[in-house]
Amino acid sequence: MSVSADFLPEFDSEMASTRRTLERIPEDKLAWKPHEKSMLLGRLAGHIAELPGMGVLVLKDDALDFTKRPAGELGSKPTIAESQKHVVDLLDKNVAALRPLIASASDEHWAGKWKLSMGEKTFYEGSRMGAMRRMVLNHVIHHRAQLGVYLRLNGVAVPSVYGPSADEGR
């Protein structure tokens, strides 16, 4: 089985869970955060929705240096949710752009090198698949879990992800 064929079912499952979570964000709490050092709920939701767009860069380019990205490109201005629809539509757009690139990537392409940096500071340097897992998929999962806590603290039912949640699937 190819790397892409092995990875796609996991990607699809995680993106579906992510979409279900973003569909729950309370639109009247977008400026809420659980702690002064935490992201606003709207910023966290926006970040989750924009992350699959980074996967496009992982598959199209050999590196991303945050100091050299043009205005209007990924991460040049943080996405802050304006509504549930805003972030769900952005997630859908980014997933739709990324999925065919995953499906068509050869095993050799996945094994190729990729680097994430900000000038001289390197955040990741390794295989393209390692970048996709660590900087995209695991990153989405990490922040989705944070968003689950935000939802719980605001009395919003947390969707089932890997099995029943305390709110669903009993």
Side-chain angles (χ1 to χ4, degrees):
M1 179 180 286
S2 72
V3 171
S4 293
D6 186 49
F7 182 63
L8 269 175
E10 179 182 8
F11 175 79
D12 290 341
S13 176
E14 295 298 347
M15 293 305 105
S17 294
T18 300
R19 190 179 201 283
R20 283 193 310 276
T21 304
L22 289 173
E23 288 172 339
R24 306 278 176 103
I25 64 168
E27 292 182 333
D28 62 336
K29 300 283 186 179
L30 297 176
W32 181 86
K33 59 184 179 177
H35 186 273
E36 65 186 40
K37 293 182 181 179
S38 299
M39 277 191 253
L40 298 174
L41 189 150
R43 173 61 189 125
L44 179 60
H47 187 50
I48 292 166
E50 69 194 3
L51 279 170
M54 184 173 180
V56 171
L57 299 177
V58 168
L59 287 172
K60 284 189 168 185
D61 301 322
D62 292 328
L64 172 59
D65 182 342
F66 283 126
T67 64
K68 296 180 181 175
R69 63 192 162 181
E73 294 230 346
L74 175 75
S76 61
K77 183 178 178 196
T79 302
I80 300 172
E82 298 166 8
S83 65
Q84 288 174 351
K85 181 177 177 2
H86 172 231
V87 290
V88 169
D89 287 353
L90 179 59
L91 177 75
D92 289 348
K93 175 185 153 214
N94 286 330
V95 169
L98 178 54
R99 193 179 192 287
L101 296 176
I102 292 171
S104 65
S106 68
D107 288 0
E108 294 76 26
H109 192 65
W110 283 117
K113 296 298 178 197
W114 197 82
K115 181 179 179 180
L116 176 66
S117 62
M118 185 178 298
E120 297 299 313
K121 183 173 180 158
T122 299
F123 299 108
Y124 174 84
E125 189 166 12
S127 73
R128 190 170 264 110
M129 175 46 85
M132 184 66 70
R133 284 219 177 270
R134 180 176 176 151
M135 306 310 300
V136 180
L137 194 62
N138 293 356
H139 200 161
V140 167
I141 293 166
H142 163 74
H143 286 305
R144 185 182 69 211
Q146 286 181 311
L147 185 57
V149 173
Y150 281 42
L151 295 177
R152 172 82 67 232
L153 292 172
N154 280 283
V156 177
V158 177
S160 297
V161 174
Y162 300 117
S165 73
D167 302 307
E168 292 184 347
R170 293 181 154 203

